[in-house]
Amino acid sequence: MNRKKIISVVGARPNFMKVAPLHRAFQKYNDTIEHILVHTGQHYDFSMSDAFFKDLEMPQPSYFLGVGSGSHAEQTAKIMVEFEKVCKELKPDLVIVVGDVNSTIACSVTAVKLGIKVAHIEAGLRSFDRTMPEEINRIVTDSICNYCFVTEQSGVDNLNREGFDTNGIFFVGNTMIDSLYFALEHAKNSEKRNTLNLEPKEYVLATLHRPTNVDEPEKLYEYLKIFKHLSRYRKIIFPVHPRTRKNLKYFSLEKKVEEISGLILLEPLGYIDFISLMLDADFIMTDSGGIQEETTYLKIPCLTLRTTTERPVTIEQGTNVLVQPDENSIIQAVNDIIHKPRKVGTIPELWDGKASVRIAKIIVSFFN
Ligand code: UD1
């Protein structure tokens, strides 16, 4: 029998940890499955991409589309044009897309229109906020794909409500947590905290990159004022996303940053170093999607600076707290977390490090 060809698409930083364990899981089926990695090049800096391949021990992608940055339309269109060429050449039996980034929507639309089946990993999540580009990417991808692999019950409920064929919905757990399992072993050896001269719990780890939080000068300045307040109690370790870095410069806020003693800006960190800093942080402040899940699994308090989350299980069961992203609400939440007892969480169902093994098994069964 000819081996079945499966393409997994990666493009942006949060994709790499979702695909790496899946790639490992497919190795067991090497006789029947050829698993091919395609990198769109949505993220291209070493710190946003290559560092993750290294940390996750993922092989180099077979195809690198090199699309780079651009407006949403430009980026999505470029990915579609380049990915179509790969699909026509390889004629894959299945395309796997993960998460909610522009690479996800671009490759799922391209594949479906060529008559190729598509599986979406981390399907069904909804923030119900259509001003978020990721929400549009999630809705479109789920509405056209054939198989939905879901991380939490809310995803199943959303897909059912939207009329997705129930036979194509698989509640399998979270591949991001599979990677976290992998990283925990290695994180013990990270020297990052020592290099930064940090004691456990004396610092907060912060990340910010959502356009709504960093693309307006007043809003970004508000965050600096919040960091200034927080710096009275804790050091703040802030690995800065390229979008945020650019805007700090563009809005001439770099001087304000320097004035906050205890605020330590870093380049974006590799996966293992980031997890190691997370493990010893007193708490996390973020607007990321995936960090809400990682902190829930690790039972580390997390303030998510957004009006909504597409990952409600992290609020209902985990350590995540959603904080309205305005100065007063965040300062209140910071004061509460410093001075009051903290939320105690539990680990969501099937977040056991084996989601990728389950997914690979199900996908292989499609071809039997
Ligand atoms: C993307 C995802 C977001 C995800 C985030 C993680 C979409 C719609 N958004 O947002 O869901 O949480 O990745 O990081 O897909 N840039 C660099 N170097 C890079 C990558 C980007 O300098 O390696 C700059 C680009 O010039 C661009 C900006 O960062 O202007 C934003 O990059 P982009 O991929 O458009 O979106 P993100 O904000 O990273």
Side-chain angles (χ1 to χ4, degrees):
M1 189 181 88
N2 280 344
R3 288 202 302 164
K4 299 291 178 190
K5 281 186 195 160
I6 300 179
I7 291 179
S8 282
V9 176
V10 289
R13 186 169 61 177
N15 294 163
F16 307 126
M17 16 325 195
K18 290 167 196 164
V19 169
L22 196 59
H23 184 73
R24 262 193 295 280
F26 275 125
Q27 298 317 299
K28 188 179 152 197
Y29 303 100
N30 232 338
D31 292 348
T32 48
I33 301 286
E34 184 186 358
H35 187 238
I36 303 153
L37 292 174
V38 173
H39 188 329
T40 65
Q42 176 174 348
H43 285 174
Y44 44 86
D45 286 353
F46 178 85
S47 62
M48 299 293 284
S49 176
D50 304 58
F52 286 79
F53 278 80
K54 196 168 131 274
D55 279 1
L56 292 158
E57 296 176 19
M58 191 158 55
Q60 282 305 305
S62 305
Y63 291 80
F64 184 74
L65 308 183
V67 299
S69 304
S71 69
H72 282 268
E74 276 168 345
Q75 194 174 54
T76 309
K78 276 195 218 159
I79 298 170
M80 289 177 74
V81 170
E82 295 307 316
F83 189 60
E84 186 174 53
K85 294 177 194 161
V86 176
C87 286
K88 284 187 168 166
E89 181 192 325
L90 290 179
K91 298 189 176 42
D93 298 282
L94 180 76
V95 166
I96 298 177
V97 294
V98 298
D100 56 17
V101 300
N102 286 342
S103 301
T104 314
I105 185 177
C107 295
S108 53
V109 171
T110 305
V112 164
K113 288 198 169 182
L114 289 171
I116 301 163
K117 291 218 156 68
V118 174
H120 183 204
I121 290 176
E122 201 189 85
L125 299 182
R126 297 288 180 269
S127 66
F128 302 101
D129 173 2
R130 290 197 178 193
T131 64
M132 283 178 81
E134 293 83 1
E135 182 73 352
I136 305 302
N137 294 345
R138 289 189 279 260
I139 292 169
V140 174
T141 302
D142 287 343
S143 70
I144 57 171
C145 73
N146 305 84
Y147 310 111
C148 280
F149 291 93
V150 184
T151 52
E152 60 169 84
Q153 185 58 40
S154 77
V156 176
D157 299 340
N158 293 331
L159 291 168
N160 281 332
R161 203 185 38 254
E162 290 169 17
F164 196 92
D165 176 5
T166 46
N167 293 321
I169 303 174
F170 304 93
F171 180 20
V172 286
N174 195 329
T175 64
M176 185 123 176
I177 301 300
D178 299 357
S179 270
L180 188 54
Y181 260 74
F182 175 84
L184 285 176
E185 269 308 298
H186 301 266
K188 288 181 214 148
N189 304 326
S190 167
E191 282 298 318
K192 198 71 198 174
R193 185 170 58 75
N194 287 339
T195 321
L196 293 167
N197 260 322
L198 295 167
E199 292 300 323
K201 310 293 173 207
E202 70 162 341
Y203 65 94
V204 170
L205 186 60
T207 80
L208 279 181
H209 76 279
R210 295 265 158 219
T212 49
N213 280 334
V214 305
D215 280 3
E216 295 296 329
E218 297 77 24
K219 192 82 209 157
L220 196 51
Y221 180 45
E222 215 176 273
Y223 278 105
L224 297 184
K225 288 191 276 177
I226 291 160
F227 287 155
K228 187 160 188 170
H229 173 81
L230 174 59
S231 70
R232 290 175 16 205
Y233 307 100
R234 299 285 185 277
K235 291 179 183 167
I236 303 145
I237 306 301
F238 184 28
V240 190
H241 187 282
R243 173 191 286 275
T244 313
R245 175 76 72 179
K246 247 190 251 173
N247 288 344
L248 284 171
K249 189 163 190 255
Y250 188 62
F251 304 146
S252 308
L253 289 170
E254 285 164 317
K255 186 106 187 38
K256 298 270 179 226
V257 168
E258 281 165 26
E259 285 166 11
I260 307 171
S261 65
L263 172 62
I264 300 161
L265 265 61
L266 305 176
E267 290 305 307
L269 292 168
Y271 183 55
I272 304 284
D273 284 341
F274 187 79
I275 298 293
S276 81
L277 285 186
M278 195 189 271
L279 282 169
D280 284 325
D282 186 36
F283 63 93
I284 314 285
M285 288 171 77
T286 190
D287 60 3
S288 147
I291 292 172
Q292 301 172 61
E293 299 184 336
E294 289 162 342
T295 46
T296 276
Y297 179 77
L298 296 170
K299 302 193 172 172
I300 296 166
C302 179
L303 300 181
T304 296
L305 315 172
R306 288 171 46 183
T307 49
T308 56
T309 179
E310 60 288 339
R311 294 160 159 90
V313 78
T314 62
I315 307 274
E316 290 152 12
Q317 295 178 29
T319 47
N320 192 18
V321 176
L322 211 54
V323 183
Q324 291 300 310
D326 61 74
E327 195 177 338
N328 288 342
S329 307
I330 300 175
I331 289 200
Q332 181 64 50
V334 163
N335 290 343
D336 285 351
I337 205 165
I338 294 213
H339 299 297
K340 293 188 183 164
R342 288 149 181 220
K343 199 175 166 191
V344 182
T346 55
I347 296 176
E349 189 183 354
L350 294 178
W351 289 19
D352 57 0
K354 296 181 188 134
S356 306
V357 171
R358 284 191 277 272
I359 294 170
K361 198 170 166 198
I362 293 168
I363 287 179
V364 168
S365 76
F366 295 157
F367 299 114
N368 291 333

